[in-house]
Amino acid sequence: MAAGVAGPEDTRTRLLATALKLFTEHGVQGTSLQMIADALGVTKAAVYYHFKTKDEIAEAVAEPGLRELDAVVEEAERQRRRGARTDHLLTGFVDVVVRHRALISLFSSDPTIARMLTCSWNGKENFRVRMMDLLVGPERDLGRLVAAQVAIAGIALTGGSEDLAALDDESLRRHLLDVGRKLLGRPRA
Amino acid sequence: MAAGVAGPEDTRTRLLATALKLFTEHGVQGTSLQMIADALGVTKAAVYYHFKTKDEIAEAVAEPGLRELDAVVEEAERQRRRGARTDHLLTGFVDVVVRHRALISLFSSDPTIARMLTCSWNGKENFRVRMMDLLVGPERDLGRLVAAQVAIAGIALTGGSEDLAALDDESLRRHLLDVGRKLLGRPRA
């Protein structure tokens, strides 16, 4: 391939980065395929070559974050003790949230992407159910269920919050982890 | 007025109740003015008599909850001690969340309504800024800011969560309050 001419894979990567940027600025609803094509400097047909619908693009944008979250949940599910399951899930969840702040901010404000967290993903049960099973356990203590839901929802929304966009990753990670440990009754790291 | 014939005020009240029900089932985006008219058994023109756009309906649906939240924030702002400000805001916020569960669930999943919480309302600064000022104070301690954001976002989302829809108001209120007090360093009630 001649230097300077983008191959299909390269275009796909640029397309997803551009889509994330536009989704963040205008919401998924407020972004059209034409806007994505214009921002990339390609035709709408070139966008269609990779994705048939905007929902497909939104799913592809969310995919890396969901894949990492799935790995975190699987590793936590392999732990035998409750405390270790909680610690693995909480640490991994905070890491994913901090690493994908821009995406999380979309997750929390856009119905298209929020749906993916509550629907099954790759044939597995939805993330919320799996995370609650890990954090609450089979006895379903009500106080613990409420604390776990506040922890997961609150950490995700706070991690993606515009108020904290200027905060460095390490400080955000540490404070989110402190809050999660307090809520879930784990000793401070 | 003849018995059985609805006056304009009555139609407005029924319209808002019907809209909330449809918004909850289909999202604001997925609900049309025609669907609202059909569910009410009136013409689209009758809906237009009260509201020109769907956004106006969404705002009117959210209005009672926002008005109550405004009263809670104002009362908290009148308290002199930090502890009393936190206690007033937290108790009042949890009350509003529990009383308006269906609405809160929309707030958290719909961009139209979520925008109202972060934009100014009746010319006042947005609720999030006012609540953070009350809970965090002028020194803006970072750990406290993160804890307060997790508390507010987590309580709202958990209160509106479908997982807890069957839980009675009093239990939900008590557990959300416990979690909030723990996060904000207040003694248990």
Side-chain angles (χ1 to χ4, degrees), chain A residues 1 6 28 36 42 54 68 73 96 126 130-131 137-138 143 150 167 169-170 183:
Chain A
M1 189 187 309
V28 178
I36 296 171
V42 302
K54 199 168 57 176
E68 287 176 34
V73 172
V96 173
N126 82 56
R130 291 167 72 197
M131 290 195 282
V150 170
L167 185 60
D169 284 3
E170 192 37 47
L183 274 175

Side-chain angles (χ1 to χ4, degrees), chain A residues 23 54-64 66 112-113 116 121:
Chain A
F23 289 166
K54 199 168 57 176
D55 273 11
E56 276 184 24
I57 299 180
E59 281 171 31
V61 163
E63 181 77 17
L66 293 178
T112 312
I113 301 192
M116 294 179 207
W121 180 75

